[in-house]
Amino acid sequence: MDISRRRALALGGGAVLGAAGVAAVAGGAGAAGGWQPLIVVTANIGRKRLKKREPAILAVRRAVKSGDGYAKPLVGWQEIGEGDDDGREARWINKHFGSGFENIYEHKNPAQRVPISVPNEYKIIDKRVTKVHGGKKGVSPHRVITQAVLQHVDDPKMRFVFANTHYVAGAWNGKEDAHEAWRDRMWARHFRTHREEVLRHWRSQGFPVIWTGDVNRNGMPLLMPQHEKRAFKGGIDQIGWVPGGNGTELRLKRTKVVPMDVDGHNARVALMQIRRA
């Protein structure tokens, strides 16, 4: 559902910080100034070796070790149910991201292709889907940007927005066909919507925003050059973030890549930290 300006103002904001490894992160929830780990992953499952899909989802769940187990990542998924909608991918997400997570948009149209998995250290206090375009048959599916307003369960003032998206298929791939002009227009529309209706919208309410997505452009310009930071310098699978004004802060410590072996996409991981100043 869409969130009204009044509702957004009532919710306040939140921030995310980048962090090195989980073991290196100090601090605890509930106290201003304590840095906490926040693992962010963007994961495009892909369409080629379909038998590898469940192992790929499990690999994302095990992206970062923590003690004797694995840290719980905040994940933006792409291409879930796209092209081979057998329902298995959504079921596998719910299987491997079941206990300890809340999954949203994994089954629903029109946002099923970009669901989000949220660790239960965070409460989803609101969510919305922003439509970008309706797609074109045989060229690219419709595109949306899914968003969740997250609040730390032990520190309700620590709040931020997590957004996930997938830009138009085949854009900026160096190939030409009869639909290139349409792709160019839809990519530009997506970029504007991403900037204006997601990043600037939420920042105006005080929220920091972290976003994940397959942008289908290697060397994508910054959406907000004065504010935005990116975890990775290049590649079409990206993680970015912008600060807010609600006292929640973000910083990046390091990154890693997790092979998924379905097609050319690997999961990309930002080991971040978050705190409330």
Side-chain angles (χ1 to χ4, degrees), residues 107-128:
H107 289 298
K108 293 186 177 180
N109 291 322
Q112 65 178 2
R113 296 179 178 88
V114 282
I116 293 169
S117 294
V118 180
N120 61 3
E121 286 81 6
Y122 292 91
K123 179 181 178 182
I124 300 171
I125 55 177
D126 230 323
K127 58 188 177 181
R128 74 172 187 170

Side-chain angles (χ1 to χ4, degrees), residues 52-259:
K52 298 283 189 177
R53 289 177 297 169
E54 184 176 13
I57 291 168
L58 182 58
V60 172
R61 175 64 186 89
R62 296 175 176 177
V64 177
K65 290 185 177 180
S66 178
D68 295 331
Y70 299 93
K72 288 186 287 186
L74 173 61
V75 184
W77 304 93
Q78 301 94 41
E79 293 202 32
I80 301 303
E82 187 172 315
D84 52 359
D85 194 7
D86 55 14
R88 294 181 181 180
E89 292 163 7
R91 293 199 298 272
W92 288 328
I93 288 173
N94 286 322
K95 173 182 175 181
H96 296 295
F97 289 78
S99 177
F101 290 85
E102 182 174 354
N103 301 306
I104 55 174
Y105 303 126
E106 74 273 29
H107 289 298
K108 293 186 177 180
N109 291 322
Q112 65 178 2
R113 296 179 178 88
V114 282
I116 293 169
S117 294
V118 180
N120 61 3
E121 286 81 6
Y122 292 91
K123 179 181 178 182
I124 300 171
I125 55 177
D126 230 323
K127 58 188 177 181
R128 74 172 187 170
V129 176
T130 299
K131 182 178 178 180
V132 178
H133 62 80
K136 182 182 283 289
K137 187 175 181 180
V139 182
S140 175
H142 66 269
R143 296 303 191 196
V144 301
I145 306 171
T146 55
Q147 299 135 77
V149 183
L150 304 183
Q151 171 185 286
H152 200 289
V153 295
D154 293 330
D155 186 354
K157 292 184 179 180
M158 186 185 291
R159 295 176 176 178
F160 66 96
V161 171
F162 183 66
N164 183 35
T165 196
H166 189 175
Y167 278 56
V168 61
W172 295 90
N173 62 3
K175 301 177 182 179
E176 296 288 333
D177 65 21
H179 304 290
E180 286 306 298
W182 179 84
R183 286 192 176 94
D184 289 347
R185 291 196 305 272
M186 294 307 102
W187 197 96
R189 179 187 294 181
H190 203 137
F191 188 90
R192 290 193 302 270
T193 303
H194 194 172
R195 180 186 63 208
E196 302 298 330
E197 298 185 32
V198 179
L199 299 188
R200 284 184 176 164
H201 168 78
W202 290 114
R203 288 191 79 244
S204 74
Q205 316 303 329
F207 291 95
V209 183
I210 299 174
W211 69 268
T212 55
D214 176 352
V215 300
N216 273 318
R217 180 175 180 177
N218 193 359
M220 176 188 179
L222 291 171
L223 291 138
M224 301 184 71
Q226 294 182 329
H227 304 288
E228 186 186 7
K229 295 183 179 180
R230 297 269 174 85
F232 297 89
K233 291 182 179 180
I236 65 174
D237 299 294
Q238 278 295 338
I239 299 172
W241 67 97
V242 294
N246 68 348
T248 305
E249 297 179 340
L250 302 168
R251 72 180 181 188
L252 176 70
K253 299 301 289 185
R254 67 179 177 90
T255 62
K256 66 177 294 186
V257 174
V258 176

